Amino acid sequence: MNIDPRMLKELLRMQLLNKTDILSNKSSGASDDDSEFSELLNDLLSQNTDSSTLLNAGVSAPGTQTAFKPSSLNSLFASAGSYRTGQTSGSAQAKELDPLIQEASRRHQVQPSLVKAVIDAESSFNSKAVSQAGAKGLMQLMDATGKSVGVNDPFDPVQNVQGGTKYLSNLLKKYDGNQGVALAAYNAGSGRIDRLGIANDNDLAAKMGQLPKETQAYVAKVMNLQRNYEG
């Protein structure tokens, strides 16, 4: 079955946009239309679609070894729309924390724009933030995660950013630089990602619907924020 790559890419864009809208309006919940749409898209991807068609749309055919490059996944998520219209919620705070972020980025070899995007998405640059699950500080570290990367006081911006960036760096190394997978693991936990057999961004695109909607939206949100900080 041959599908116009433009149509396939549009379907993927619509799926991501739909999931983002659902998450941003939590009171509505997932609709039957959303489930039906996801099933339709998964059916299309699981059929014997010509591999060149999928590659033209930015997706690899099932069973192939061609992985997404971070730039390709960024392009796909860009179509889903930003959580913010070209503005970052903590631009002033980001500027104040820039020396700390730059140092942590250099030490752990993570792009500063990615660290800023994760901090923005996690806490909006609030060093005292605490989630319902107990994640703490700028990069929302759980106590066990924080201790594993040397954080004793998660509310100390220096410790939190250094530890959070180290943890993000470890995930990027674990998943061979596949940024989308690393971000999904940062949000949902690497155990869930590994159980689904997601090892690269190609796997992530194929199995995105099996992840929590929060994680799906989180990956798109961070990538969009990263572009804002790079701009």
Side-chain angles (χ1 to χ4, degrees):
M1 176 181 179
N2 291 321
I3 305 173
D4 189 321
R6 292 171 298 180
M7 178 182 296
L8 181 56
K9 189 169 185 177
E10 179 64 15
L11 286 170
L12 289 166
R13 185 194 71 80
M14 290 172 63
Q15 184 190 44
L16 287 168
L17 180 59
N18 193 30
K19 292 180 184 303
T20 298
D21 288 343
I22 290 171
L23 189 69
S24 63
N25 184 13
K26 293 183 179 179
S27 62
S28 63
S31 65
D32 292 338
D33 289 341
D34 175 57
S35 299
E36 291 174 1
F37 180 84
S38 296
E39 291 176 5
L40 174 61
L41 180 58
N42 288 334
D43 287 343
L44 287 173
L45 290 173
S46 65
Q47 293 177 30
N48 294 325
T49 307
D50 183 83
S51 60
S52 63
T53 298
L54 288 169
L55 287 170
N56 286 334
V59 185
S60 292
T64 66
Q65 297 300 313
T66 304
F68 268 91
K69 294 182 179 180
S71 59
S72 299
L73 197 62
N74 266 310
S75 176
L76 181 59
F77 279 123
S79 301
S82 176
Y83 269 53
R84 303 182 180 97
T85 56
Q87 298 291 328
T88 53
S89 65
S91 56
Q93 296 93 323
K95 188 174 181 179
E96 293 176 3
L97 290 169
D98 192 63
L100 172 58
I101 292 170
Q102 293 292 339
E103 166 59 24
S105 298
R106 282 193 298 268
R107 178 176 295 184
H108 302 294
Q109 298 183 325
V110 180
Q111 291 175 292
S113 59
L114 178 58
V115 177
K116 289 179 184 178
V118 169
I119 294 173
D120 197 347
E122 291 287 351
S123 68
S124 296
F125 295 90
N126 178 5
S127 64
K128 302 300 182 184
V130 180
S131 75
Q132 291 182 347
K136 298 171 182 175
L138 290 165
M139 298 187 75
Q140 290 290 276
L141 300 175
M142 299 296 291
D143 288 339
T145 300
K147 289 178 181 178
S148 73
V149 290
V151 176
N152 296 315
D153 180 4
F155 299 114
D156 174 13
V158 175
Q159 289 191 41
N160 193 288
V161 172
Q162 286 288 344
T165 304
K166 182 177 181 179
Y167 179 55
L168 182 58
S169 176
N170 290 343
L171 291 173
L172 287 165
K173 292 173 184 175
K174 174 181 173 67
Y175 297 110
D176 297 321
N178 286 271
Q179 183 173 304
V181 185
L183 290 172
Y186 194 100
N187 179 262
S190 58
R192 184 191 292 266
I193 300 302
D194 295 343
R195 285 192 296 273
L196 288 173
I198 298 174
N200 54 52
D201 287 339
N202 180 48
D203 295 337
L204 178 65
K207 298 182 179 181
M208 184 67 75
Q210 298 179 48
L211 290 171
K213 286 183 170 59
E214 176 188 349
T215 301
Q216 296 175 40
Y218 177 83
V219 176
K221 178 179 183 178
V222 173
M223 287 187 170
N224 278 308
L225 285 169
Q226 183 182 10
R227 279 192 302 277
N228 288 342
Y229 284 114
E230 287 175 343

